Amino acid sequence: EAGVVQSPRYKIIEKKQPVAFWCNPISGHNTLYWYLQNLGQGPELLIRYENEEAVDDSQLPKDRFSAERLKGVDSTLKIQPAELGDSAVYLCASSLDRGTSSYNEQFFGPGTRLTVL
Amino acid sequence: AQSVTQLDSQVPVFEEAPVELRCNYSSSVSVYLFWYVQYPNQGLQLLLKYLSGSTLVESINGFEAEFNKSQTSFHLRKPSVHISDTAEYFCAVSDHGGGKLIFGQGTELSVKP
């Protein structure tokens, strides 16, 4: 079974440029998460989707960050414009539906390492 | 709201020695507890979890953690470490509604020959 797929794995951009990250969750996982991991820190949730609905986006900086999951499967996270402080690893995770015994087990992708110059 | 404190940022240890990675949490509600491991340039992998039942949980590669409600701790232990255990370890909590993991800042375990 394929795990969570993320692309690109690495991205280097100039500040003020836009950037997008793509995530394809594990097949059958209707819940999808985007986390931000700064160097030397634990991941922090940016947004959580239940199918197409963003049910928790309270930590997403909406002035420059946006996300979508139009068909309830894969998802895109965008930053426009990028700032120097956005340099970090962006992790995508997925889990089964709420109400299943494995809902609380999140499976993580390898992440996208963003460097903003 | 929940918070997680991992008391050691780095733990160097020799191969075959025992190790304990400490994790304390704070929460006003009941929580689920997790340990994740992150190898270099890889995503996080679930190592073990406590949801309910026995307070001692074990992983397939010899790690164990014990949920201590009175001390609000979930320390990770292994009686004999291998070089391959070198990685970053993250403790995390979520409330029983699930959906959001709160992570500690991580402990870098470095196993030396």
Side-chain angles (χ1 to χ4, degrees):
Chain A
E1 177 182 299
V4 176
V5 179
Q6 290 188 247
S7 69
R9 289 293 312 277
Y10 304 91
K11 188 73 177 179
I12 300 174
I13 61 172
E14 300 278 336
K15 65 180 180 182
K16 300 185 181 180
Q17 293 300 305
V19 64
F21 315 123
W22 178 79
C23 172
N24 192 47
I26 292 172
S27 178
H29 283 195
N30 292 332
T31 306
L32 184 146
Y33 315 76
W34 282 103
Y35 286 86
L36 165 68
Q37 186 178 18
N38 286 305
L39 186 64
Q41 300 294 319
E44 299 174 18
L45 182 71
L46 288 172
I47 189 168
R48 174 168 63 98
Y49 282 93
E50 300 275 354
N51 298 300
E52 302 90 353
E53 183 182 1
V55 296
D56 183 357
D57 63 356
S58 56
Q59 302 302 309
L60 188 72
K62 298 180 182 63
D63 57 337
R64 297 184 300 107
F65 286 66
S66 65
E68 60 183 17
R69 194 184 184 200
L70 295 176
K71 297 182 179 180
V73 180
D74 57 346
S75 175
T76 302
L77 178 69
K78 298 178 181 177
I79 309 175
Q80 183 170 10
E83 298 179 352
L84 295 176
D86 296 330
S87 294
V89 176
Y90 293 81
L91 295 167
C92 180
S94 69
S95 68
L96 288 168
D97 285 347
R98 182 189 293 274
T100 63
S101 60
S102 297
Y103 174 68
N104 287 285
E105 183 170 347
Q106 297 183 23
F107 295 83
F108 284 80
T112 296
R113 183 177 297 276
L114 173 67
T115 302
V116 182
L117 303 176
Chain B
Q2 294 90 39
S3 66
V4 177
T5 301
Q6 291 183 243
L7 298 162
D8 307 291
S9 59
Q10 294 181 320
V11 174
V13 64
F14 287 107
E15 193 174 20
E16 297 183 5
V19 71
E20 179 179 75
L21 306 184
R22 296 179 293 170
C23 172
N24 286 95
Y25 69 92
S26 173
S27 177
S28 57
V29 299
S30 296
V31 295
Y32 297 136
L33 294 153
F34 307 83
W35 276 99
Y36 280 83
V37 58
Q38 187 174 34
Y39 298 101
N41 297 317
Q42 295 186 27
L44 282 78
Q45 301 173 30
L46 181 65
L47 189 60
L48 45 76
K49 62 184 176 183
Y50 171 78
L51 302 182
S52 64
S54 173
T55 57
L56 184 66
V57 291
E58 300 177 350
S59 72
I60 59 173
N61 59 351
F63 283 94
E64 65 178 29
E66 185 161 19
F67 169 51
N68 188 318
K69 187 174 182 179
S70 63
Q71 297 191 3
T72 60
S73 68
F74 191 55
H75 301 332
L76 181 70
R77 295 187 290 264
K78 188 171 186 179
S80 176
V81 294
H82 302 288
I83 298 287
S84 59
D85 293 324
T86 294
E88 188 91 17
Y89 291 80
F90 291 94
C91 182
V93 303
S94 73
D95 62 31
H96 284 193
K100 179 177 180 177
L101 286 172
I102 305 296
F103 287 87
Q105 52 271 67
T107 296
E108 182 182 345
L109 176 64
S110 177
V111 182
K112 303 184 185 302

